[in-house]
Amino acid sequence: MILWLWLCCGFSASVGQPDSELMARYLEEKLMADYSIMEQVARRVPRQAKFLQRLETRPRMSEFSVKSTIISRYAFTTVSCTMVNSGSEAREAVFEMQIPAPAFISNFTMIIGNKTYYGEVTGKEKKHSSDDKARHRKPLNSTEGRENGYETFKASVFIPRKMQAKFLLHYEELLQRRLGKYEYTVSIRPQQLVGRLRVEVNILEKSGIVSLEVPPLRNSKHKGNGKVEGDVSPPPSTVIGHTKTLAKVTFNPSVVEQTRIARNGILGDFIIRYDVNRELSVGDVQILNGYFVHYFAPTDLPPLPKNVVFVLDSSASMVGTKLKQTKEALFTILQDLRPEDHFNIIGFSNRIKVWQQDRLVPVTPNNIRDAKKYIHNMSPTGGTNINGALQTGAKLLNDYIAQNDIDARSVSLIIFLTDGRPTVGETQSLKILSNTKDAIRDKFCLFTIGIGNDVDHKLLERMALENCGMTRHFQEDEDAASHLKGFYDEIGTPLLSDIRVDYPEDNVEQVTQNFFPNYFNGSEIIIAGKLINRTSDSLHVEVTASNSKKYILLKKDVAIDLPSRNDIRGMPGLEDGKGDTNYIERAWSYLTIKELLNSRLKSDDSQEKDYLMEKAKSMALTYNFVTPFTVLKMREAGLHPELAPEEFISPSTDGIGEKLQSLQGHKAPPGIQRQQDKQRIKISKTSADGDPHFVIDFPSSKFSVCFNIDGEPGDILRLVSDHKESGVTVNGQLIGAPAPPNGHKKHRTYFSTITILNNKPERSYLEITPKRIILDDGERLLLSCGRSAVVRSNSLEVSISANSNITVTIRDTISFVILIHRYKKPAPYQRNHLGFYISNSKGLSSDSHGLLGQFLNHEVKLLQGSLNTSHQQVGQNQTEALKPNPTNTLKVKGRLVPVVWKQRRIYNGQQEVECWFAKNNADKLIDGSYKDYLASHPFDTGTSFGTSNSF
């Protein structure tokens, strides 16, 4: 009973703390403890037996870490997981990891006690059963099941009592560019709180990294849409650092932070999105040790006109959410069609209904309106005639192309959506594939979309592959509307057609696909190959294509770099004797195997299928990839010789020329809001807030001066201007609102945006609104005002107190505080807005200017008496006696300014300040008139009074 009483006292001492925090701290202290104490508690306390027995029987995860190195879009990932069995007998441990479906596993190792088991990639024996069955009959350690672009790797072992097991999984992938960004995703699903959880991603892009962003964790229901609604801040404990070509991102949440994300352990995807700098010309060609990879992604081209037919499943199985979300997505897609496009809609079940018979219609307001009505009236009924619907769509598009004088450079396509398998008409998959291919005849592309678990994914995938399209599959419980819109956005803006990339035949061999029917905005064309003549100084590249106005031809001789320039030495993640340090060669092998698998999928010839299978298997064995034709077989390596953790880390970046460890990058510590935060903020009364009301504090004179600026909505006021000396400029943009009833003003104005520009030592800027913050110091970072965070980079620090205030510190000598004013139920004359306060102005020069800046290093004198008589200077202790006197004046730079005594509320109305008020838009108080302080745009630095310059 002594133990039970001790436990009661331990919990009683913590009364008053939130339950989640109490439990999190308790677990954090106890996770590393021996579980034998739990056995005693379970025997002595029957009510707790079930919970504690579950803890005792399930091996706990003490460590989960992921380290990835991305080199020129090619990602090497190592997952390390340690599980501890503190029980009195052997227990089963299951290691599960979701990996991207396009990735290839390259190694797997298990260390159980003092024994090591390593994975050996071997070829699958040829089965007499169908390929489909063979592919889905998985060994113990393999991937199984596909969920919206992800596959699950699972390994199950028994851990001896009082021992631990360590799992090390390696996989590789070539990142694909979609909607203008590369997306790297790590699945974090330990399903329990983990004592040590860490993700580290190192990125090396020789072209230069741009637009790096880390959105919040994404759960399974939001996979695939590429967009995050609402909060856009990085997860708590995320640290982002970068230089021009290198980036390092870490995610290292404590147990307490994990409970704030999910009470029973994190369940989501950690995502990094970025893009690279691009030169116009032929693109980026990288060459290393006899291999090359060519990235081609032109921008700033006019879009090609589209001829598109939407073929939509309206069978009975689409009833409910699926059809509703499909309609919602189509309403948005129709709105995005361009005036030069033509379109039609086909709905199909057991019957096929064409919206506009025998034609495609132009995009006009009336046609869009009528199309929306047609979609709105679609009702689910009947079976699924996939073959008939595709034949009708293909005939409609073929006839339109043949009978109309369409633009030769326009792009024609069918977008086909279904949630089921064929049940009406032709139901044999091979026959449907053959009929579709014969109907399309390589004249346009077919893009397929499957929703739910009943869809024939392989049929849709092959139809798209055989007809130059792409396919997507979404789960039934996901947000289909956003997925559909996201997929359309990928293919909705064709920029080029008939793209062909050529290299001299006597210089290259084994080149991957080099002809592409279409190039869509935000995507990327990738070609790789081997060099025959390694002694040549250059590689000749020609790109031919057509866009909306002309045919284009691009030529360039690309210098073959010295081997050291692209060399990455020391890749411990690759096994000795099997891995090659040439990441470009591995990218080439990855692309080649993918193309062999796709070619085999499209082929109907058994001999050709066998040849392609053997070729893909041979290359996979050479590069140690797990594919549909290779498997991992576990071998025992004997006693484990205490390997250092570094031996299981992904490729090193030593020798690059820059060290990731030295980065002084963006830092986003835990987003924990504390009550003391507001109390620690020290700000002066010098501010611009409200309508807007300006206050200038003169501490040595022991009084304040205030004034109003009656600007117009859209005006941008220069608040602080010290660009030449300290490099700092602050501009505030006004938003309008109606005036309150019976007021003397025609309207109200508030600050909707505060822009802080800093030019020393390097250019950076902050753009702040009541909802979000953009920080750009060469890399763009988007933060939410609704989540507490601290971000640091070089000379700049931004501290966010959620939904309250933002403190900006520049070189530790200049500080500004921006208050956030948000209304739950705003009155008509209220708007969400910002208040600007100066906390520390020591770093601003004596020449600083602006509506507030001009007073920071100048004193004013308060005088008594009429403006028409001689003035007597007022002493500091006489201020109170002057309140009722309407003839008080200020002496500012030789100017006499009449003022009256007022009271004004600042700091969100929490403090009242008494001040001398200057009327008429601060006439004579400020240099010039307030219109001299209007900036032409938010980034106008105005290097001298009354001038405008761009940042």
Side-chain angles (χ1 to χ4, degrees):
M1 290 302 295
I2 294 175
L3 179 63
W4 168 238
L5 290 173
W6 173 79
L7 283 173
C8 289
C9 292
F11 278 99
S12 298
S14 299
V15 170
Q17 296 187 42
D19 290 346
S20 61
E21 188 167 337
L22 173 64
M23 180 57 72
R25 289 179 179 172
Y26 176 77
L27 289 173
E28 190 167 25
E29 293 170 355
K30 300 300 178 186
L31 271 174
M32 306 307 295
D34 195 296
Y35 272 58
S36 60
I37 192 172
M38 293 296 188
E39 297 176 37
Q40 302 175 43
V41 176
R43 287 195 294 269
R44 294 168 186 257
V45 189
R47 286 182 300 172
Q48 303 250 335
K50 185 175 181 180
F51 169 73
L52 295 172
Q53 181 67 19
R54 179 170 58 86
L55 286 177
E56 197 275 333
T57 57
R58 180 174 125 179
R60 60 183 171 84
M61 189 180 296
S62 64
E63 174 259 346
F64 179 87
S65 64
V66 179
K67 185 167 183 180
S68 174
T69 301
I70 303 171
I71 310 170
S72 294
R73 294 77 142 175
Y74 194 76
F76 300 85
T77 302
T78 298
V79 181
S80 174
C81 176
T82 301
M83 293 188 181
V84 179
N85 177 18
S86 299
S88 57
E89 58 185 49
R91 303 291 183 190
E92 183 182 23
V94 179
F95 168 66
E96 285 189 35
M97 182 69 188
Q98 285 192 359
I99 64 174
F104 286 146
I105 293 171
S106 56
N107 203 356
F108 179 62
T109 303
M110 297 187 299
I111 304 169
I112 305 172
N114 61 354
K115 291 186 178 181
T116 300
Y117 303 85
Y118 66 92
E120 179 183 349
V121 178
T122 62
K124 275 186 181 178
E125 295 182 5
K126 188 174 181 180
K127 305 288 184 181
H128 295 291
S129 58
S130 68
D131 292 334
D132 290 353
K133 291 181 181 179
R135 186 171 181 179
H136 285 84
R137 189 181 294 120
K138 300 291 184 181
L140 176 65
N141 300 305
S142 65
T143 54
E144 57 180 37
R146 174 177 296 200
E147 181 189 343
N148 192 22
Y150 291 80
E151 292 183 340
T152 301
F153 177 91
K154 179 182 286 188
S156 175
V157 299
F158 278 85
I159 305 177
R161 61 182 296 273
K162 306 298 182 182
M163 299 191 78
Q164 69 178 27
K166 187 169 188 175
F167 305 90
L168 295 144
L169 175 67
H170 304 256
Y171 61 88
E172 302 174 22
E173 61 180 312
L174 184 61
L175 303 184
Q176 300 297 308
R177 188 169 183 257
R178 292 179 179 171
L179 301 176
K181 295 284 181 70
Y182 303 100
E183 181 173 291
Y184 175 77
T185 303
V186 175
S187 176
I188 306 175
R189 286 168 167 78
Q191 302 181 47
Q192 58 182 285
L193 299 173
V194 183
R196 295 187 299 274
L197 192 156
R198 179 179 175 86
V199 177
E200 178 181 323
V201 181
N202 298 316
I203 305 173
L204 167 63
E205 293 288 353
K206 192 178 70 172
S207 304
I209 300 170
V210 298
S211 304
L212 179 68
E213 62 183 45
V214 182
L217 290 175
R218 179 178 64 190
N219 62 38
S220 60
K221 290 188 177 183
H222 296 98
K223 283 183 181 179
N225 61 5
K227 297 180 180 179
V228 179
E229 300 295 334
D231 188 10
V232 293
S233 300
S237 82
T238 300
V239 180
I240 305 170
H242 58 80
T243 64
K244 182 179 179 182
T245 59
L246 290 172
K248 181 176 182 178
V249 180
T250 59
F251 174 57
N252 190 21
S254 66
V255 173
V256 174
E257 289 167 331
Q258 292 175 45
T259 61
R260 289 192 172 92
I261 297 171
R263 183 180 290 266
N264 297 319
I266 294 175
L267 190 69
D269 298 324
F270 184 78
I271 305 166
I272 298 173
R273 299 192 187 104
Y274 73 95
D275 201 11
V276 300
N277 285 316
R278 304 180 188 281
E279 62 176 42
L280 299 176
S281 188
V282 298
D284 179 19
V285 182
Q286 300 185 23
I287 302 171
L288 178 63
N289 295 340
Y291 292 85
F292 74 89
V293 61
H294 182 183
Y295 301 101
F296 181 63
T299 57
D300 300 324
L301 296 172
L304 299 171
K306 296 190 300 294
N307 309 307
V308 56
V309 176
F310 300 96
V311 182
L312 310 175
D313 189 343
S314 61
S315 60
S317 59
M318 287 286 289
V319 68
T321 303
K322 284 185 285 188
L323 187 58
K324 178 184 176 183
Q325 292 186 336
T326 299
K327 291 179 179 182
E328 290 174 1
L330 261 293
F331 291 157
T332 306
I333 290 170
L334 289 174
Q335 211 62 47
D336 288 348
L337 292 174
R338 296 182 178 83
E340 62 271 20
D341 296 339
H342 291 76
F343 72 105
N344 203 340
I345 302 166
I346 296 174
F348 74 94
S349 52
N350 56 329
R351 298 175 56 193
I352 297 164
K353 300 177 182 179
V354 181
W355 172 49
Q356 298 287 340
Q357 291 293 333
D358 303 325
R359 63 181 181 139
L360 270 66
V361 299
V363 174
T364 65
N366 288 341
N367 285 338
I368 296 296
R369 180 200 62 204
D370 293 344
K372 288 182 177 180
K373 287 181 181 178
Y374 175 79
I375 293 171
H376 176 75
N377 292 328
M378 289 176 63
S379 57
T381 182
T384 309
N385 188 353
I386 290 178
N387 183 74
L390 287 170
Q391 293 297 303
T392 302
K395 183 178 186 305
L396 183 66
L397 201 47
N398 273 316
D399 290 347
Y400 176 77
I401 295 171
Q403 298 170 9
N404 292 273
D405 185 21
I406 66 169
D407 191 324
R409 299 179 184 88
S410 64
V411 172
S412 300
L413 50 95
I414 292 178
I415 298 177
F416 175 83
L417 179 145
T418 184
D419 75 328
R421 299 172 181 270
T423 60
V424 176
E426 182 59 66
T427 59
Q428 296 297 315
S429 295
L430 290 178
K431 188 63 176 175
I432 293 174
L433 288 167
S434 175
N435 291 343
T436 302
K437 193 170 183 179
D438 290 343
I440 292 177
R441 302 194 299 272
D442 296 326
K443 290 187 177 181
F444 45 85
C445 298
L446 171 64
F447 297 85
T448 60
I449 302 168
I451 301 178
N453 297 321
D454 296 330
V455 72
D456 189 340
H457 177 73
K458 282 186 172 270
L459 173 63
L460 298 186
E461 181 182 29
R462 185 169 173 182
M463 279 198 303
L465 282 174
E466 289 185 352
N467 297 284
C468 71
M470 297 186 294
T471 188
R472 290 287 186 274
H473 179 220
F474 309 131
Q475 291 299 319
E476 194 166 333
D477 60 345
E478 294 178 321
D479 183 359
S482 63
H483 286 310
L484 292 173
K485 181 59 170 63
F487 182 51
Y488 174 79
D489 287 343
E490 290 184 47
I491 62 176
T493 309
L495 300 182
L496 294 172
S497 61
D498 301 328
I499 306 102
R500 184 178 183 87
V501 184
D502 289 307
Y503 315 91
E505 291 185 1
D506 56 348
N507 276 9
V508 299
E509 62 179 353
Q510 299 185 43
V511 177
T512 59
Q513 177 184 348
N514 68 332
F515 176 79
F516 304 87
N518 300 301
Y519 165 73
F520 297 100
N521 187 40
S523 64
E524 184 172 57
I525 289 172
I526 308 175
I527 310 105
K530 298 174 66 174
L531 298 179
I532 298 174
N533 183 8
R534 298 195 179 192
T535 61
S536 177
D537 294 331
S538 63
L539 175 65
H540 184 71
V541 181
E542 288 190 6
V543 179
T544 58
S546 63
N547 68 1
S548 62
K549 295 183 178 179
K550 59 183 178 181
Y551 291 94
I552 60 174
L553 172 62
L554 304 173
K555 297 182 181 181
K556 186 176 182 180
D557 289 325
V558 178
I560 296 179
D561 298 333
L562 295 174
S564 61
R565 182 167 178 180
N566 288 322
D567 195 11
I568 306 295
R569 297 192 179 276
M571 289 189 173
L574 304 177
E575 292 296 302
D576 293 340
K578 293 184 179 180
D580 194 323
T581 57
N582 189 342
Y583 64 94
I584 294 180
E585 179 182 355
R586 295 192 75 80
W588 165 79
S589 65
Y590 175 96
L591 281 173
T592 302
I593 293 172
K594 288 290 184 183
E595 288 190 3
L596 290 169
L597 296 177
N598 286 339
S599 296
R600 185 179 184 277
L601 181 62
K602 293 188 290 184
S603 176
D604 292 326
D605 184 275
S606 60
Q607 290 186 346
E608 182 184 28
K609 289 171 78 74
D610 288 344
Y611 167 76
L612 293 169
M613 180 187 70
E614 291 302 322
K615 193 172 180 180
K617 183 194 297 184
S618 175
M619 182 168 283
L621 292 173
T622 300
Y623 291 95
N624 219 56
F625 287 147
V626 177
T627 70
F629 311 124
T630 54
V631 294
L632 268 177
K633 290 188 176 179
M634 304 306 295
R635 312 285 188 191
E636 184 176 351
L639 292 177
H640 176 46
E642 295 299 326
L643 296 176
E646 286 75 18
E647 297 190 37
F648 299 102
I649 299 301
S650 296
S652 167
T653 54
D654 290 346
I656 302 300
E658 296 179 88
K659 297 289 185 180
L660 283 166
Q661 289 79 2
S662 65
L663 294 175
Q664 296 281 326
H666 300 309
K667 184 178 181 182
I672 303 174
Q673 175 65 34
R674 304 182 189 276
Q675 293 298 321
Q676 305 97 294
D677 287 350
K678 293 183 180 179
Q679 299 173 9
R680 287 198 296 264
I681 297 172
K682 296 177 66 177
I683 56 179
S684 74
K685 301 172 187 176
T686 302
S687 59
D689 204 343
D691 190 11
H693 304 313
F694 289 76
V695 176
I696 301 108
D697 188 35
F698 296 99
S700 62
S701 300
K702 294 188 178 180
F703 64 78
S704 300
V705 177
C706 50
F707 60 91
N708 294 346
I709 293 294
D710 295 327
E712 296 293 328
D715 281 355
I716 301 170
L717 304 183
R718 188 171 295 116
L719 305 178
V720 177
S721 179
D722 196 28
H723 185 73
K724 279 189 175 181
E725 301 300 327
S726 67
V728 174
T729 302
V730 182
N731 295 327
Q733 185 163 8
L734 299 178
I735 188 174
N742 304 319
H744 65 281
K745 293 185 177 183
K746 60 180 180 180
H747 57 243
R748 281 188 166 189
T749 53
Y750 305 94
F751 286 119
S752 63
T753 306
I754 299 291
T755 306
I756 301 174
L757 313 166
N758 178 33
N759 198 37
K760 294 181 180 181
E762 296 176 349
R763 289 190 176 189
S764 59
Y765 76 84
L766 277 163
E767 188 176 83
I768 302 169
T769 72
K771 289 187 176 181
R772 57 107 181 102
I773 302 167
I774 296 174
L775 167 61
D776 194 325
D777 58 352
E779 303 297 336
R780 186 180 174 94
L781 181 66
L782 188 63
L783 302 166
S784 169
C785 293
R787 176 175 291 182
S788 297
V790 178
V791 179
R792 303 183 185 97
S793 69
N794 296 332
S795 60
L796 192 67
E797 178 180 303
V798 181
S799 177
I800 306 170
S801 179
N803 296 318
S804 176
N805 57 72
I806 301 110
T807 302
V808 179
T809 305
I810 303 171
R811 297 187 296 276
D812 296 324
T813 60
I814 304 170
S815 296
F816 305 125
V817 176
I818 294 88
L819 298 188
I820 303 170
H821 302 272
R822 299 183 70 175
Y823 302 94
K824 290 184 178 179
K825 296 180 179 180
Y829 52 86
Q830 292 176 324
R831 295 289 185 270
N832 292 338
H833 65 281
L834 303 172
F836 176 75
Y837 293 75
I838 296 178
S839 174
N840 182 2
S841 61
K842 290 180 181 179
L844 295 172
S845 74
S846 58
D847 294 327
S848 64
H849 213 272
L851 286 169
L852 293 176
Q854 63 186 295
F855 300 106
L856 296 176
N857 293 290
H858 295 279
E859 287 296 325
V860 300
K861 295 179 181 179
L862 185 61
L863 307 177
Q864 182 181 17
S866 171
L867 291 175
N868 298 321
T869 62
S870 62
H871 291 77
Q872 178 185 354
Q873 185 172 335
V874 177
Q876 295 175 5
N877 59 350
Q878 295 175 283
T879 303
E880 291 295 323
L882 293 172
K883 293 180 184 178
N885 191 340
T887 61
N888 293 322
T889 61
L890 295 177
K891 187 174 182 180
V892 183
K893 299 179 183 179
R895 301 186 297 266
L896 300 179
V897 186
V899 290
V900 296
W901 191 254
K902 268 201 172 187
Q903 290 182 330
R904 181 152 283 175
R905 290 187 176 274
I906 57 174
Y907 310 155
N908 281 340
Q910 295 177 5
Q911 183 173 336
E912 196 172 73
V913 60
E914 295 178 326
C915 59
W916 293 103
F917 179 73
K919 298 181 178 180
N920 301 324
N921 281 322
D923 184 36
K924 296 183 181 180
L925 176 67
I926 59 176
D927 296 335
S929 71
Y930 92 91
K931 291 188 176 180
D932 295 322
Y933 297 85
L934 296 181
S936 59
H937 54 81
F939 302 97
D940 183 356
T941 57
T943 53
S944 63
F945 179 59
T947 65
S948 295
N949 291 278
S950 294
F951 179 58

